[in-house]
């Protein structure tokens, strides 16, 4: 019934240029015409815990494809290894997107998809036209964005609207090379302008801001620079001590990160150019990028190590070892999947598990130095550029046959799932998930009769019943399609309660709107409101949870304040917030109907409020106004609340639930209320849980979705209660 806090995100593709230290130029076939290799899609898949399954074999007609894979069980996950073999076309173009088939187009330092996924831009050495734009539907070469001089293109990037292409590289000179940065019109291949970038001998880093107004550049011993797209003016430059290998804007365009050859990643404020932070990557081939929701940064690390950082604090969260040589690039597929490649041509896929940490889930061996890496906008495949004898060029490989579940939100008689392609699908009694008409989403929320999706820019799209104005559009009109609410204002988090909604704003305050019979809007009155009203006296809030008739807010100091209906005690001062006595060191709070639980920083849980159905998990049915620990429950990494039942995700990726169980919402195979936590039957590899009024849903680490409980919530094509987790098909 609640949504996690957010930081803005984008789903536009990104590319990373190769390094000049890899420029061992070799002769390459010229770009001549040849028959296009057929496009077949063997799917690389991963099995469940303790299982193994073979990778797909075979390739496209006319040449070798992805070789036989080996699935290696790794104690809870399955790693699928696939070998790329040379073969197929012997000349460059038309290209093939058949997985595992090399397009022999010379050293390919840069690859980038257009935002609509219809085009691919590549950059390479002067043995061929140094940059090319290809149409992926038939592999045709559209045009070459390069001048008549021999040159090398190290970076290519499409603007967010797909209308412009930026290229960067070097032109050999009589005494020293000269860097170039150019902007091209994609539709015509016309040169728009050349930027006078201060990047020394070569430029090898490019990134458009997500709003399309700025371009960042970097290169050899020059400044990292920001340019205005409209007129080509230089906005500012940030001096760096060595080569900038990559640049990336944060999803909200407030920060710029660059990986520098001195082994550091630097973050600057885009508006002022001030240095915000430095990350000790300790890898000369420095690469670093923000996660799609902006909450984390992935970077190369000490040699063969990949590092995950908290973007807000700069704290190192995890080091990943899965490469045998230097890691070259890191690319976020979506917020729960990462690709990394290395100098030997190995590409690793990392998947986030239920504890929030990443583990290795798939491996490809491309047989070449990894010089460029980009993921398709639909997240179904990626392309990697290379440079090695017999393997010069670029190759496409499959990630998944179709989008997977990324996050689920369970409501009353409806549920919604955020897919890995940033679309949203919803369902109710007896139906399967159907598109909700939302794209570019980063979070979903659902409750009694309403649903919302949060987009990358922090704005909301909401739909459903609106009889008390709980959608936030200033009316009481029912919205059958996603609707822009709150006047398009960006928020950190939205949480939906019973006929009311609350939002956590960017400044750490909270506003609520809709039904207010018990003071759940928190403004000291019981008057309904179509417009958001500020919750009195709340500041420095990090997370919120809206329940049935009461709400709670977690503050940055680890304490909790609540407001609204308070007949059990422990929920504030009625229509005004009040601190929950004796509660500290909280990392998450969740609210149901007159009951709430808090996850503490020692991985235990404390609950308070109504206990008619055993919702406090203490082995009794006696309510209490102050929090008490749930006995024999430890190692908790996440927590979710339904109306009168609670569930916890444990560090071992299993789940336990307690409370009301009239229709099997606890998932233990019974319909008996449980006053102590019970194991959800057959459930493991849990990444995220969401509880509705009388049903529960879980997203697993492999992107599958399971639900159980009330008949109206399954999306399994049958209207009947389910007492244990049941797969939802898309």
């Amino acid at each position: 019934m609640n949504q996690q806090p957010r930081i803005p995100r984008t789903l536009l593709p990104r590319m990373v240029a190769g390094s000049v230290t890899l420029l061992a130029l070799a002769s390459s076939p010229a770009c001549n015409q040849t028959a296009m290799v057929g496009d077949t899609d063997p799917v690389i898949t991963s099995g469940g815990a303790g299982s193994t399954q073979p990778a797909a074999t075979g390739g496209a007609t006319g040449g070798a494809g992805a070789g036989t894979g080996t699935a290696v069980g790794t104690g809870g996950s399955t790693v699928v290894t696939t070998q790329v073999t040379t073969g197929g076309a012997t000349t460059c173009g038309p290209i093939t997107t058949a997985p595992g088939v090399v397009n022999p187009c010379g050293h390919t330092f840069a690859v980038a998809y257009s935002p609509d996924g219809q085009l691919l831009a590549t950059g390479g050495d002067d043995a061929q036209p140094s940059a090319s734009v290809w149409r992926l539907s038939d592999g045709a070469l559209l045009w070459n964005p390069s001048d008549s001089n021999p040159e090398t293109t190290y970076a290519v990037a499409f603007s967010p609207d797909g209308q412009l292409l930026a290229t960067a590289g070097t032109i050999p000179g009589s005494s020293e090379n000269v860097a170039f940065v150019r902007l091209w019109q994609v539709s015509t291949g016309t040169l728009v302008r050349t930027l006078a970038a201060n990047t020394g001998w070569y430029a090898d880093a490019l990134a458009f801001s997500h709003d399309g107004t700025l371009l960042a550049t970097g290169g050899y011993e020059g400044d990292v620079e920001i340019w205005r797209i409209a007129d080509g003016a230089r906005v500012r430059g940030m001096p760096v001590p060595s080569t900038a290998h990559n640049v990336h804007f944060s999803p909200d365009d407030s920060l710029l990160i660059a990986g520098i050859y001195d082994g550091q990643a630097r973050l600057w404020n885009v508006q002022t150019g001030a240095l915000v932070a430095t990350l000790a990557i300790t890898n000369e081939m420095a690469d670093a990028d923000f996660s799609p929701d902006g909450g984390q940064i992935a970077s190369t690390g000490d040699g063969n190590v990949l590092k995950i950082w908290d973007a807000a604090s700069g704290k190192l969260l995890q080091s990943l070892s899965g490469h045998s040589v230097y890691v070259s690039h890191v690319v976020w597929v979506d917020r729960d999947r990462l690709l990394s490649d290395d100098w030997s041509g190995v590409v690793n896929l990392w998947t986030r598990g239920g504890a929030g940490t990443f583990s290795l889930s798939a491996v490809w061996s491309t047989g070449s130095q990894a010089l460029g890496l980009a993921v398709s906008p639909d997240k179904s495949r990626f392309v990697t550029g290379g440079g090695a004898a017999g393997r010069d060029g670029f190759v496409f490989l499959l990630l998944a046959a179709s989008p997977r579940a990324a996050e689920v939100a369970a409501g009353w008689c409806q549920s919604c799932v955020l897919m890995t392609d940033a679309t949203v699908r919803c369902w109710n009694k007896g139906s399967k998930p159907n598109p909700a008409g939302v794209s570019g989403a980063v979070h979903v929320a659902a409750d009694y009769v309403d649903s919302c999706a949060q987009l990358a820019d922090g704005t909301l799209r909401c739909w459903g019943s609106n009889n008390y104005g709980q959608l936030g559009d200033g009316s009481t009109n029912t919205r059958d399609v996603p609707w822009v609410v709150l006047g398009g204002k960006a928020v950190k988090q939205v949480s939906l309660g019973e006929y009311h909604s609350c939002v956590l704003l960017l400044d750490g305050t909270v506003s609520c709107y809709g039904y207010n019979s018990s003071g759940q809007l928190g403004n000291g009155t019981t008057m309904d409101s179509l417009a958001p009203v500020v919750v009195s006296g709340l500041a420095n809030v990090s997370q919120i949870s809206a329940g049935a008739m009461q709400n709670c807010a977690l503050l940055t100091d680890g304490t909790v304040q609540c407001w609204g209906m308070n007949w059990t005690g422990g929920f504030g001062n009625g229509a005004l917030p009040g601190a929950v006595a004796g509660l500290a060191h909280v990392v998450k709070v969740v609210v149901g109907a007159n009951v709430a639980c808090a996850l503490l920083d020692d991985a235990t849980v404390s609950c308070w409020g109504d206990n008619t159905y055993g919702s406090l998990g203490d082995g009794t049915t006696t309510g209490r106004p102050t929090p008490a620990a749930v006995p024999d429950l430890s190692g908790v990494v996440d927590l979710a609340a339904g109306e009168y039942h609670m569930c916890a995700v444990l560090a071992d990726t299993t789940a336990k639930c307690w409370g009301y169980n009239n229709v099997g919402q606890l998932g233990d195979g019974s319909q008996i209320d449980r006053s102590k936590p019970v194991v959800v039957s057959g459930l493991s590899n849990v990444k995220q849980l969401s509880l509705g009024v009388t049903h529960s849903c879980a997203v697993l680490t492999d992107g599958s979705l399971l639900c159980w409980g009330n008949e109206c919530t399954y999306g399994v094509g049958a209207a009947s209660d389910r007492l244990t987790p049941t797969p939802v098909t898309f």
Side-chain angles (χ1 to χ4, degrees), residues 629-641:
V630 177
D632 303 319
L633 184 65
S634 60
V636 178
V637 296
D638 200 7
L639 193 62

Side-chain angles (χ1 to χ4, degrees), residues 238-280:
M238 288 78 74
V240 292
S242 187
T243 301
H245 286 299
N246 69 85
V247 287
H248 298 289
F249 287 91
S250 62
D252 63 357
D253 291 330
S254 65
L255 298 174
L256 182 72
I257 191 169
I260 311 299
Y261 190 73
D262 66 351
Q264 309 291 323
R266 289 169 173 80
L267 287 86
W268 296 275
N269 182 294
V270 171
Q271 294 299 317
T272 65
L275 182 66
V276 175
T278 300
L279 302 181

